[in-house]
Amino acid sequence: MADSSRILALVGSPRTGGNCDVLVDEVLRGAAEGGATTQKVTLDRCTIGPCHACNACAKSGECYQRDDMDDLIERMKQSDVWVLATPVYWWGATAQFKLFLDRWYAPWHGEQSRELFKNKTIIVIVTLGDSNPDTAEPTLQMLRRAFAYIGLELADTIVAAGVYAIGDAAARTALMQQAHDAGRAAAG
């Protein structure tokens, strides 16, 4: 990683100020203290169309759709570390997060496009109201397998079980410290 890491957080929760936000903000705070440049995008505020499985990207390396994914891909290219956060909805990621992830299909095609994924480090944050952390496992397994397939380095995974109400995560000292430490470590 470069001396001044660039860290991009992509939040899949539609709940502003929710537990994903609280933990992402703490990761970014730790990263900024470590000298990193940080930015945060809430996917619910973006217009991202679904992948249409047309395979036009197989020829061009780009999706034919012109939406906020274009800007997100540029931001991702310019970042060293991606903080990816989603709550668990029915044992999976939110629709907003899944739309974003499915659109990685286009940049994965073509040699030039695959540069997006080279030398990137990932921090995953998964929050869930259920107190059983195993409920997050299907979401985590999907992400781990996708990252392994693409060749992304998973630096840290933060699972926040039993955080349903807004602010629940902020009251968990050990969880907040884990998020802060992940950000500091990502800053290099």
Side-chain angles (χ1 to χ4, degrees):
M1 248 184 273
D3 287 359
S4 180
S5 294
R6 294 161 307 214
I7 300 178
L8 173 63
L10 298 142
V11 182
S13 176
R15 188 160 68 168
T16 302
N19 293 302
C20 278
D21 267 351
V22 165
L23 291 168
V24 164
D25 289 346
E26 191 62 21
V27 168
L28 296 180
R29 189 169 77 81
E33 286 176 9
T37 302
T38 66
Q39 60 179 303
K40 177 177 152 185
V41 175
T42 302
L43 297 173
D44 191 53
R45 295 185 190 129
C46 298
T47 300
I48 303 172
C51 176
H52 291 282
C54 66
N55 279 326
C57 60
K59 292 178 184 162
S60 68
E62 284 188 15
C63 183
Y64 79 91
Q65 298 182 77
R66 302 281 59 96
D67 58 19
D68 289 336
M69 200 63 193
D70 296 332
D71 176 59
L72 293 177
I73 287 172
E74 281 307 309
R75 291 182 192 215
M76 292 166 73
K77 284 179 186 175
Q78 296 168 11
S79 301
D80 304 301
V81 178
W82 302 337
V83 180
L84 304 176
T86 183
V88 173
Y89 282 16
W90 292 101
W91 294 271
T94 62
Q96 296 88 334
F97 187 87
K98 192 65 170 70
L99 280 171
F100 165 71
L101 186 66
D102 284 351
R103 290 286 295 281
W104 289 16
Y105 185 78
W108 181 242
H109 282 84
E111 290 304 313
Q112 291 177 337
S113 299
R114 289 186 187 181
E115 292 297 315
L116 170 65
F117 301 106
K118 286 198 178 180
N119 302 316
K120 303 298 182 190
T121 302
I122 309 295
I123 297 170
V124 169
I125 298 171
V126 176
T127 63
L128 55 150
D130 190 344
S131 60
N132 182 352
D134 290 342
T135 301
E137 198 51 41
T139 302
L140 293 170
Q141 185 178 52
M142 174 193 67
L143 292 171
R144 282 189 219 112
R145 286 182 177 203
F147 300 159
Y149 178 73
I150 293 172
L152 293 169
E153 177 190 343
L154 181 57
D156 207 342
T157 303
I158 300 165
V159 177
V163 293
Y164 184 77
I166 289 177
D168 281 352
R172 302 237 181 120
T173 306
L175 189 59
M176 295 297 285
Q177 188 64 53
Q178 182 185 4
H180 189 269
D181 292 348
R184 284 293 290 228

